Amino acid sequence: GAVALAASLPGFAIGVHVRHSGGQDGLQGTVTEAPLGTVDVQYKILEPSEMPIEVYHTNLGKQEYFENCLLRYTQVVEDYADKQLQALALEALDLEAASEDFRNASLWEGRHKERIGKLSNWFYNKYFSWLSGRTCGQCNVQMTSGGEHVVPTQDELEHGAHRVRLFKCPTCPNVSRFPRYKSLKKLLETRTGLCGEFARVFGLFLAALGYEYRLVLDWTDHVWNEVLIDSRWETVDTTCPGYNFKHILRWHMPVVYIVAFGAHEVLDVTARYATNWADVEARRGKDGNFDPKVAKQLIHEADERVRELRGETEPPQWRAQEAKDLDAMRLPGKL
């Protein structure tokens, strides 16, 4: 059943390998919500047949992976329009950030950067928790993870966790599961994750407060937000608020594609963050990457598809100026 389930997941090419056999008992960790945003790990005994099945990703084609990401992140942004989810986000602000009065728009008139900056700091310091690791409840030692993922349970899958990160105790058989939930409702409950979870949930807060928002994906493995303030898209990275409103990357990775996903558009914004556009061009189409002209067309199709779903026929009003700005950042060596 687990093998068939994994094989049926859209966009994933996988192989499976059962890591446990025989009659020994195993331990499975489950993550539960604890006070003050901390994470508690509990364990239950599993029968051998219930042991996790390790998932090995085969060499998924670069183009297929690219298309899959475009689809998945477009779907996440579509969820921001859900009024019930927005109501949950606003309720969280009422319960846990009442002193800042983030919901009172008139109070922040002309002070949007200050509002977003304080909201980001509150989110980072008090609301959402970074997945820094796991401690074995039996040995009291730090558990390790080598990026290993396992097939989700049915409950995890229902909350959009198509993959589950596995942590192992180095001295005993204990393991801890960390489901990579896609469900915004579930993430509002767990309030724990990595950059992807941080950005997805913070995007919901931006939508709930009435801002134009974007979810920004860097294919070298980072996700953050952009928010439209005074007709300009500003960077908001809740994993490192000190870099807010700065169009710079806080890591030194050879970027290839950085794509922004908004309510009205999907746009290649790599030029805004890259320090050397000629280097970006050189990497596109090399090192196993597929034809950049194909990538450009896929982004264009995703961009149009977003507006078709909303019944919109024209790009958003800010697009013309932003396109000019991005073109200028690409010189010399434009695509």
Side-chain angles (χ1 to χ4, degrees):
V3 175
L5 174 65
S8 68
L9 296 180
F12 288 89
I14 62 174
V16 293
H17 171 63
V18 181
R19 299 203 62 181
H20 181 87
S21 60
Q24 300 176 356
D25 288 332
L27 290 167
Q28 177 188 37
T30 56
V31 179
T32 58
E33 182 66 12
L36 301 177
T38 60
V39 176
D40 180 35
V41 180
Q42 298 179 347
Y43 298 91
K44 65 178 181 180
I45 300 296
L46 294 179
E47 295 298 324
S49 61
E50 295 177 299
M51 285 296 290
I53 297 177
E54 186 174 352
V55 179
Y56 286 102
H57 290 269
T58 61
N59 291 325
L60 190 64
K62 291 291 184 78
Q63 181 174 333
E64 186 179 359
Y65 176 74
F66 194 88
E67 292 181 78
N68 179 263
C69 285
L70 289 175
L71 176 61
R72 287 191 293 117
Y73 278 84
T74 298
Q75 291 172 337
V76 170
V77 172
E78 288 175 4
D79 290 341
Y80 290 158
D82 189 315
K83 295 301 181 182
Q84 291 183 333
L85 289 174
Q86 291 186 16
L88 290 174
L90 294 175
E91 181 180 335
L93 291 177
D94 288 339
L95 290 174
E96 305 196 36
S99 61
E100 295 289 354
D101 202 6
F102 288 122
R103 293 188 61 180
N104 188 347
S106 61
L107 179 67
W108 300 96
E109 188 66 32
R111 301 165 53 210
H112 293 291
K113 276 193 177 182
E114 181 183 355
R115 185 190 194 189
I116 298 301
K118 287 189 174 182
L119 179 67
S120 175
N121 284 326
W122 165 79
F123 188 91
Y124 174 78
N125 290 304
K126 297 182 179 181
Y127 185 74
F128 221 74
S129 298
W130 183 262
L131 179 69
S132 57
R134 291 285 186 268
T135 301
C136 177
Q138 180 172 317
C139 306
N140 197 32
V141 298
Q142 189 76 6
M143 305 180 87
T144 60
S145 172
E148 186 177 358
H149 290 82
V150 299
V151 174
T153 64
Q154 185 59 40
D155 179 68
E156 292 165 343
L157 193 61
E158 288 175 358
H159 297 292
H162 286 175
R163 60 193 180 113
V164 179
R165 189 170 179 176
L166 197 66
F167 290 83
K168 299 178 181 179
C169 177
T171 59
C172 80
N174 284 5
V175 297
S176 174
R177 298 169 67 89
F178 178 69
R180 303 302 302 272
Y181 292 122
K182 298 297 186 293
S183 163
L184 288 168
K185 184 177 181 181
K186 187 66 175 179
L187 289 173
L188 287 170
E189 297 173 4
T190 62
R191 292 164 53 174
T192 302
L194 302 173
C195 62
E197 287 84 359
F198 268 73
R200 284 199 297 274
V201 176
F202 192 74
L204 177 62
F205 280 92
L206 292 175
L209 290 173
Y211 285 100
E212 290 289 351
Y213 52 81
R214 283 175 175 170
L215 194 62
V216 184
L217 171 64
D218 175 4
W219 258 257
T220 57
D221 197 25
H222 192 45
V223 188
W224 63 93
N225 302 98
E226 287 182 342
V227 59
L228 190 66
I229 299 177
D230 298 329
S231 301
R232 174 183 169 87
W233 284 102
E234 301 286 357
T235 302
V236 182
D237 189 341
T238 49
T239 67
C240 190
Y243 280 78
N244 288 346
F245 314 121
K246 302 174 184 178
H247 292 151
I248 58 175
L249 301 179
R250 63 184 178 89
W251 60 97
H252 303 285
M253 297 290 286
V255 298
V256 180
Y257 289 100
I258 299 177
V259 178
F261 299 82
H264 312 275
E265 61 189 337
V266 176
L267 185 65
D268 182 349
V269 295
T270 312
R272 176 174 298 140
Y273 296 94
T275 57
N276 189 316
W277 183 250
D279 287 347
V280 173
E281 281 195 311
R283 284 189 289 270
R284 294 184 174 185
K286 293 184 178 180
D287 300 324
N289 294 313
F290 61 99
D291 188 343
K293 292 181 180 178
V294 174
K296 186 176 182 179
Q297 180 62 27
L298 290 173
I299 294 171
H300 173 73
E301 292 172 358
D303 178 49
E304 290 193 328
R305 187 163 55 245
V306 167
R307 288 190 294 279
E308 287 175 3
L309 291 173
R310 297 175 63 94
E312 300 172 355
T313 58
E314 298 294 332
Q317 59 184 3
W318 55 79
R319 171 66 69 83
Q321 184 58 51
E322 184 175 24
K324 292 180 181 178
D325 293 342
L326 290 171
D327 277 345
M329 295 171 188
R330 294 186 183 106
L331 294 172
K334 277 175 43 177
L335 278 176

